[in-house]
């Protein structure tokens, strides 16, 4: 009977730390409903890959020999080899996005650009703290508030911290309703938060413009930053499927079947990077703190930019709108709308917030592509 219990000898305190992390992620997914489609498979996967001799990762098992684990195969095939899982997910995300609010109010592109401040501020801080440029850039991308983009950039740059980066990216995305209000209140006065922005009359966006937009964005970003072609191309391809109106069944499949399946597989596959020996160390905590710094300063960048514009505008912008320039769509827009109603029950900012929030989708991908171009050219 001793052989039944002999695997307990392979357990270390680090394994129990990972079990605790896995349980916390599952609890956040179920009890708090924070990004459940990702945090639940990530949490369960973290437990799976940290069960000694479990067979879900490649290892030598006594009496059996070499075992090829399914989770490691999924990681090596779907993420490590060609980054195909994040890219396929981008098709689904693109099919979900309606760029009409942004096309009606193109000025909100500026807020998407301003809200990338946290990315570059975090990269600078990470380098000062001793991380090499690849790892610093991958950590900074947490501020993009876009999980698939974070995975893709971290993998292309071969970061040593993919596991902590992914946990930070998705955890903080789930915590947007907590992080953003605290940051906004710190940087604004009650009077600023009560600024009313009457809903603008929505213009009917011509179908031709909706079709031209994803093609034009892909070409412009691709020419300026070739490293971003895959990122922006798959996102805009999904949007083109949506807007062409002749592929409705494929659009629905991309939004639902494809996005759900890839999200499910992506969560449990990323858990491969959460093995105890590589995850439980001081650097992991530092990466998590830097990720929080990136999220806070992305929000701050958008808010402060809106306050700066107000110095020159007669019709003031509610600075909370600037916070929605991150890529966490539509969560960030909803957070700002709730805050606005709390300050003034008759202040409806949702359409303005959605416009800026949609710009964050494009800006985060474009910023990531530009960053990749810069880093890859820097590394020669």
């Amino acid at each position: 009977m001793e052989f039944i219990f002999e695997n307990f000898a392979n357990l270390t305190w680090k394994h129990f730390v990972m079990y605790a992390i896995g349980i916390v992620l599952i609890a956040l997914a179920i009890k708090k409903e924070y990004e459940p489609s990702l945090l639940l498979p990530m949490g369960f996967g973290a437990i799976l890959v940290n069960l000694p001799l479990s067979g879900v990762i490649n290892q030598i098992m006594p009496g059996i020999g070499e075992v090829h684990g399914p989770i490691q195969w999924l990681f090596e095939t779907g993420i490590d080899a060609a980054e195909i899982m994040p890219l396929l997910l981008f098709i689904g995300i693109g099919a979900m996005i309606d760029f009409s609010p942004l096309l009606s109010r193109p000025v909100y592109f500026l807020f998407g650009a301003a809200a990338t401040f946290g990315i570059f501020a975090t990269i600078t801080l990470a380098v000062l703290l001793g991380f090499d440029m690849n790892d610093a850039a991958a950590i900074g991308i947490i501020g993009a508030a876009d999980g698939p983009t974070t995975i893709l950039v971290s993998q292309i740059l071969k970061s040593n911290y993919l596991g902590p980066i992914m946990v930070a990216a998705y955890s903080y995305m789930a915590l947007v309703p907590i992080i953003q209000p605290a940051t906004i209140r710190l940087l604004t006065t009650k009077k600023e938060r009560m600024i009313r922005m009457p809903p603008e009359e929505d213009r009917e966006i011509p179908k031709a413009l909706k079709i031209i937009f994803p093609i034009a964005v892909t070409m412009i970003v691709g020419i300026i930053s070739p490293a971003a072609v895959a990122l922006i191309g798959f996102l805009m391809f999904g949007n083109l499927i949506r807007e062409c109106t002749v592929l409705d069944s494929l659009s629905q499949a991309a939004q639902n079947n494809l996005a759900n399946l890839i999200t499910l597989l992506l969560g449990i596959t990323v858990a491969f990077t959460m093995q105890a020996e590589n995850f439980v160390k001081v650097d992991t905590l530092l990466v998590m703190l830097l990720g929080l710094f990136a999220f806070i300063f992305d929000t701050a960048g958008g808010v402060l930019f809106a306050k700066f514009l107000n110095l020159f505008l007669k019709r003031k912008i509610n600075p909370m709108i600037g916070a929605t320039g991150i890529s966490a769509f539509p969560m960030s827009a909803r957070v700002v709308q709730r805050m606005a109603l709390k300050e003034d029950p008759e202040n409806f900012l949702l359409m303005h917030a959605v416009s800026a929030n949609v710009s964050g989708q494009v800006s985060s991908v474009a910023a990531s592509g530009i960053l990749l171009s810069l880093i890859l050219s820097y590394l020669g």
Side-chain angles (χ1 to χ4, degrees):
M1 292 293 292
E2 290 184 4
F3 74 92
I4 296 177
F5 302 101
E6 65 184 16
N7 198 27
F8 281 97
N10 295 318
L11 291 170
T12 68
W13 65 271
K14 290 186 176 182
H15 288 109
F16 288 101
V17 170
M18 294 309 302
Y19 300 154
I21 290 173
I23 291 169
V24 168
L25 293 176
I26 293 172
L28 287 173
I30 297 174
K31 187 173 180 61
K32 298 294 185 180
E33 296 187 17
Y34 289 162
E35 295 288 340
S37 60
L38 276 161
L39 292 192
L40 192 147
M42 281 177 63
F44 191 73
I47 294 173
L48 279 179
V49 300
N50 286 291
L51 293 171
L53 304 179
S54 65
V56 296
I57 59 176
N58 296 353
Q59 51 193 307
I60 305 297
M61 299 185 69
I64 299 177
E66 185 176 2
V67 173
H68 297 280
I71 290 182
Q72 184 162 348
W73 180 84
L74 281 170
F75 179 82
E76 292 174 347
T77 304
I79 297 179
D80 192 36
E83 298 90 28
I84 196 63
M85 281 193 192
L87 291 175
L88 288 176
L89 186 54
F90 265 111
I91 296 177
I93 294 171
M96 296 177 194
I97 299 174
D98 180 5
F99 285 110
S100 297
L102 181 59
L103 293 173
S104 295
R105 306 172 181 86
V107 68
Y108 287 109
F109 269 114
L110 297 174
F111 292 115
T116 61
F117 171 73
I119 296 175
F120 299 98
T122 303
I123 293 171
T124 302
L125 180 58
V127 170
L128 292 175
L129 290 173
F131 289 94
D132 65 35
M133 186 58 73
N134 277 29
D135 289 326
I139 293 168
I141 291 298
I142 295 173
D146 188 332
T149 299
T150 306
I151 294 175
L152 195 61
V153 172
S154 300
Q155 190 58 32
I156 290 173
L157 294 177
K158 304 300 180 186
S159 172
N160 298 307
Y161 301 99
L162 181 59
I165 287 170
M166 288 315 308
V167 172
Y170 283 110
S171 298
Y172 294 141
M173 280 177 61
L175 294 174
V176 161
I178 297 173
I179 296 171
Q180 285 210 306
T183 306
I184 291 169
R185 290 192 184 96
L186 184 65
L187 297 173
T188 59
T189 64
K190 183 177 180 65
K191 183 179 179 180
E192 288 175 324
R193 294 193 295 272
M194 292 180 67
I195 293 175
R196 290 191 178 187
M197 297 177 66
E200 299 175 6
E201 184 177 347
D202 283 332
R203 293 180 296 149
E204 184 68 27
I205 305 300
K207 178 181 176 181
L209 180 56
K210 291 182 179 181
I211 293 174
I212 291 170
F213 180 75
I215 299 172
V217 169
T218 302
M219 294 179 66
I220 293 170
V221 176
I223 292 171
I224 294 173
S225 176
V229 169
L231 286 168
I232 199 70
F234 277 66
L235 180 72
M236 291 301 162
F237 174 62
N239 187 250
L240 183 60
I241 292 174
R242 172 197 177 99
E243 300 298 351
C244 72
T245 69
V246 296
L247 295 172
D248 286 343
S249 60
L250 291 182
S251 175
Q252 290 300 317
Q255 294 179 47
N256 298 296
N257 301 338
L258 177 65
N260 290 335
L261 178 60
I262 296 298
T263 299
L264 182 69
L265 291 175
L266 193 59
I268 200 166
T269 301
V270 165
F272 170 73
T273 64
M274 299 173 67
Q275 295 173 56
E277 59 271 21
N278 297 321
F279 196 93
V280 183
K281 48 189 179 182
V282 175
D283 283 354
T284 296
L285 179 59
L286 193 54
V287 169
M288 297 293 288
L289 291 174
L290 285 167
L292 180 59
F293 177 89
F295 259 74
I296 290 173
F297 274 78
D298 267 356
T299 300
V303 171
L304 292 175
F305 180 68
K307 288 166 69 84
F308 173 75
L309 290 180
N310 280 344
L311 296 175
F312 310 98
L313 297 175
K314 290 183 178 179
R315 291 181 60 186
K316 304 299 183 183
I317 297 171
N318 190 311
M320 293 194 296
I321 296 297
T324 63
I326 68 171
S327 184
F329 177 85
M331 191 186 307
S332 184
R334 291 173 180 165
V335 167
V336 165
Q337 175 59 26
R338 284 197 296 268
M339 290 185 69
L341 292 176
K342 186 175 181 180
E343 300 289 353
D344 177 359
E346 296 183 2
N347 194 7
F348 296 95
L349 300 177
L350 187 58
M351 287 309 297
H352 298 280
V354 167
S355 298
N357 210 177
V358 169
S359 79
Q361 292 280 317
V362 179
S363 297
S364 65
V365 174
S368 300
I370 291 171
L371 181 61
L372 277 176
S373 296
L374 291 173
I375 298 299
L376 295 175
S377 62
Y378 168 78
L379 296 174

